[in-house]
């Protein structure tokens, strides 16, 4: 099936007389006739459900839909994007290991890596995503286990050169993990460019209606863990907590990563989505291509309008000719650059705050990438834990306003921006 059809039908095909919508299986537990039946599930000897902390049919159907959209071999849903990025890295790295990550990433991910996972004994080296291949290669160490970046970085709006990153990762025998939250598979499918694992905060465009916090991990099935078995013993040697199963042997390259993340990490950390939230995500994905087309058209129009305003100091949108990432966007995002536009108001931080207070239609919200237009000042919100040097490395200047352009009539949006700029 083609992409737009998969948005509606992948992951669930109702049988005769069955519900047309994905059913919400709102149950913690599942009944079995014998203890032996259940024992097989615990040993991963049979497929089936026993406890929603590990797996739930609604979540699995929605994960299968996203898996089809990204073109992967296996996928899982999680309770948040934070959980997704944590699981994706922790599934293959532990104390004593090292990860290379782009410095232009979401503030929450930066904190997860640089503070919390560092406390767990995992070291991170952050690299400028625009660095040369030599500089990128120099960041790797013998104990490096993965390379990480964001397709369109939140909020810096840098576009990742996925092929360059994939090339460097594979030259060092490690997978490339790409957070594809802002692009969604409707605009970019990182696996086509060599990425091995994709993560999402489904909270954003995939759900699309600001209804449910959620995350996802999708595996391309292409990374050969067995070829680098010494680096990934968790996937390539027997797991004592599952009766000596070796994930790559039992589930193949296509299933090993997600099965291990489910069997070990979901079991132990329990970052599972509610079935109702998984269902909302599945519903949101049905209209993903329609919404993304509108977000892109509105984002482009607003960015072009902002560029012409005297009170606007600068505009960052990869769809604007002359933008630093225009060429990369032409290659990786030919259908559009999503609805997120960042810009600076002349007069710096204070002017940005005055402008935002004047908006009537766009709401100030710690959110981004949903149907209704919203706006945020990252330096005083999502990125406020960073000092000026870290802000600069993340591409966030103090005057940066992050505008998430929704799917309203673009003339109403421009009228709102216009009257707010007049107040500055
Ligand atoms: C929002 C976001 C996250 C974190 O996701 P939550 O669902 O809020 O936990 C991670 N990565 C990116 C790119 C994001 O925009």
């Amino acid at each position: 099936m083609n992409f737009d059809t998969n948005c509606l039908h992948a992951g669930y095909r109702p049988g005769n007389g069955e519900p047309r919508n994905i059913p919400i299986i709102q149950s913690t537990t599942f009944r079995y006739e014998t203890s032996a039946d259940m024992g097989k599930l615990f040993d991963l000897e049979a497929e089936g459900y026993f406890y929603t902390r590990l797996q739930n049919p609604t979540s699995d159907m929605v994960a299968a839909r996203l898996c089809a959209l990204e073109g992967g071999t296996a996928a899982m849903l999680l309770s948040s994007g934070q959980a997704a990025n944590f699981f994706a890295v922790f599934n293959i790295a532990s104390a004593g290991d090292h990860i290379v990550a782009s410095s232009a990433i979401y503030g929450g991910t930066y904190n997860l890596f640089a503070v919390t996972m560092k406390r767990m004994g995992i070291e991170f080296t952050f690299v400028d995503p625009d660095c040369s291949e030599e500089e990128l290669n120099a960041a790797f160490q013998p104990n490096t286990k993965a390379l990480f970046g964001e397709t369109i970085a939140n909020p810096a709006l840098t576009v990742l050169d996925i092929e360059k990153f994939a090339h460097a990762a594979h030259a060092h025998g490690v997978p490339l993990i790409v957070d594809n939250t802002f692009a969604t598979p409707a605009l970019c499918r990182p696996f086509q460019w060599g990425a091995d694992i994709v993560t999402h905060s489904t909270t954003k465009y995939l759900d699309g209606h600001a209804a449910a916090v959620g995350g996802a991990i999708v595996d391309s099935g292409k990374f050969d863990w067995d070829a680098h078995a010494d680096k990934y013993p968790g996937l390539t040697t027997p797991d004592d907590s599952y009766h000596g199963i070796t994930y790559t042997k039992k589930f193949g390259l296509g299933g090993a990563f997600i099965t291990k993340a489910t069997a070990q990490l979901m079991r132990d950390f329990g970052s599972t989505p509610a079935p109702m939230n998984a269902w909302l995500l599945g519903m949101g994905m049905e209209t993903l291509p329609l919404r993304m087309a509108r977000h892109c058209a509105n984002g482009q129009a607003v960015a072009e309008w902002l560029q012409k305003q005297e009170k606007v100091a600068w505009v960052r949108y990869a769809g604007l000719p002359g933008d630093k990432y225009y060429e990369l966007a032409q290659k990786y995002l030919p259908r559009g650059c999503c609805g997120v536009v960042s810009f600076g108001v002349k007069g710096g931080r204070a002017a940005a705050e005055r402008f935002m207070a004047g908006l009537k239609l766009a709401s100030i919200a710690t959110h981004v990438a949903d149907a209704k237009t919203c706006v945020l000042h990252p330096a005083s919100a999502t990125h406020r834990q960073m000092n000026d040097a870290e802000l600069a490395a993340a591409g966030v200047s103090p005057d940066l306003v992050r505008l998430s352009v929704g799917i309203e009539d673009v003339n109403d949006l421009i009228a709102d921006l216009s009257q707010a700029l007049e107040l500055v």
Side-chain angles (χ1 to χ4, degrees):
M1 297 286 180
N2 288 310
F3 186 87
D4 292 17
T5 308
N6 274 333
C7 286
L8 292 139
H9 296 286
Y12 178 63
R13 297 290 280 168
N16 195 34
E18 287 181 355
R20 272 184 90 212
N21 274 345
I22 290 177
I24 307 173
I25 310 296
Q26 189 70 49
S27 182
T28 57
T29 34
F30 300 83
R31 176 185 168 268
Y32 287 92
E33 300 280 338
T34 69
S35 302
D37 286 346
M38 187 168 279
K40 287 198 189 109
L41 300 176
F42 271 90
D43 286 356
L44 304 179
E45 283 300 326
E47 274 190 48
Y49 298 93
F50 55 100
Y51 190 46
T52 284
R53 165 148 50 77
L54 280 106
Q55 276 185 294
N56 171 278
T58 306
S59 288
D60 280 359
M61 288 183 263
V62 176
R65 175 167 296 173
L66 180 57
C67 189
L69 299 185
E70 287 286 6
T73 55
M76 68 194 288
L77 299 190
L78 300 95
S79 54
S80 69
Q82 287 299 107
N85 282 326
F86 172 60
F87 275 37
V89 173
F90 198 64
N91 204 32
I92 47 173
S94 47
D97 289 339
H98 172 257
I99 305 288
V100 181
S102 162
S103 59
I105 53 174
Y106 173 64
T109 309
Y110 179 83
N111 201 66
L112 169 70
F113 289 173
V115 180
T116 301
M117 292 185 79
K118 186 174 159 55
R119 270 206 311 257
M120 301 169 106
I122 302 172
E123 292 291 333
F124 288 81
T125 298
F126 294 95
V127 292
D128 183 334
D130 305 328
C131 68
S132 68
E133 257 181 82
E134 294 71 49
E135 287 168 310
L136 189 50
N137 285 330
F140 285 82
Q141 303 175 5
N143 59 342
T144 303
K145 296 301 170 77
L147 177 61
F148 182 96
E150 290 178 12
T151 315
I152 305 175
N154 176 9
L157 304 185
T158 55
V159 176
L160 188 71
D161 189 341
I162 302 174
E163 277 191 320
K164 178 179 82 179
F165 265 55
H167 192 254
H170 298 158
H172 293 88
V174 307
L176 172 62
I177 303 173
V178 171
D179 181 332
N180 198 32
T181 296
F182 270 20
T184 83
L187 303 182
C188 177
R189 308 212 299 167
F191 295 156
Q192 294 179 332
W193 303 103
D196 301 286
I197 310 281
V198 157
T199 60
H200 281 282
S201 166
T202 64
T203 317
K204 316 293 166 54
Y205 288 124
L206 284 177
D207 161 16
H209 302 81
V213 171
I217 307 175
V218 188
D219 183 9
S220 69
K222 286 190 199 136
F223 191 79
D224 191 346
W225 309 106
D226 287 322
H228 308 282
D230 52 323
K231 273 195 190 141
Y232 303 104
L235 286 158
T236 59
T237 60
D239 177 1
D240 291 336
S241 74
Y242 268 107
H243 312 285
I245 279 177
T246 298
Y247 291 99
T248 50
K249 277 213 185 80
K250 179 120 183 129
F251 302 100
L253 294 182
F257 187 89
I258 294 294
T259 307
K260 177 179 181 287
T262 303
Q264 291 179 344
L265 303 185
M266 206 52 112
R267 176 194 63 191
D268 296 348
F269 292 102
S271 315
T272 205
M276 179 73 198
N277 281 6
W279 183 86
L280 284 164
L281 170 59
M283 187 61 85
M285 280 193 285
E286 293 192 358
T287 55
L288 181 69
L290 300 175
R291 289 186 289 104
M292 291 316 288
R294 182 66 169 258
H295 280 294
C296 290
N298 281 1
Q300 183 77 33
V302 165
E304 286 171 9
W305 181 84
L306 282 169
Q307 217 176 18
K308 292 188 209 122
Q309 304 312 304
E310 220 174 85
K311 290 183 175 171
V312 172
W314 55 270
V315 181
R316 157 66 44 83
Y317 186 73
L320 292 175
D323 186 87
K324 191 175 173 197
Y325 297 97
Y326 182 75
E327 276 74 31
L328 283 174
Q330 293 296 300
K331 173 174 175 179
Y332 293 108
L333 303 160
R335 284 182 224 98
C337 297
C338 87
V340 187
V341 180
S342 61
F343 61 98
V345 180
K346 280 185 190 158
R349 187 186 275 256
E353 284 173 2
R354 269 203 307 283
F355 161 76
M356 285 175 58
L359 291 166
K360 292 189 174 126
L361 179 57
S363 26
I364 296 178
T366 311
H367 201 249
V368 66
D370 69 72
K372 295 181 279 290
T373 296
C374 58
V375 66
L376 179 82
H377 185 231
S380 55
T382 45
H383 286 61
R384 67 181 298 140
Q385 78 282 2
M386 290 188 176
N387 62 36
D388 282 356
E390 288 169 335
L391 279 176
V396 180
S397 56
D399 65 341
L400 186 150
V401 173
R402 186 186 70 184
L403 180 67
S404 172
V405 180
I407 59 175
E408 297 95 339
D409 185 316
V410 74
N411 295 308
D412 291 331
L413 295 176
I414 287 174
D416 188 35
L417 295 169
S418 178
Q419 63 82 28
L421 269 183
E422 268 165 38
L423 303 174
V424 171

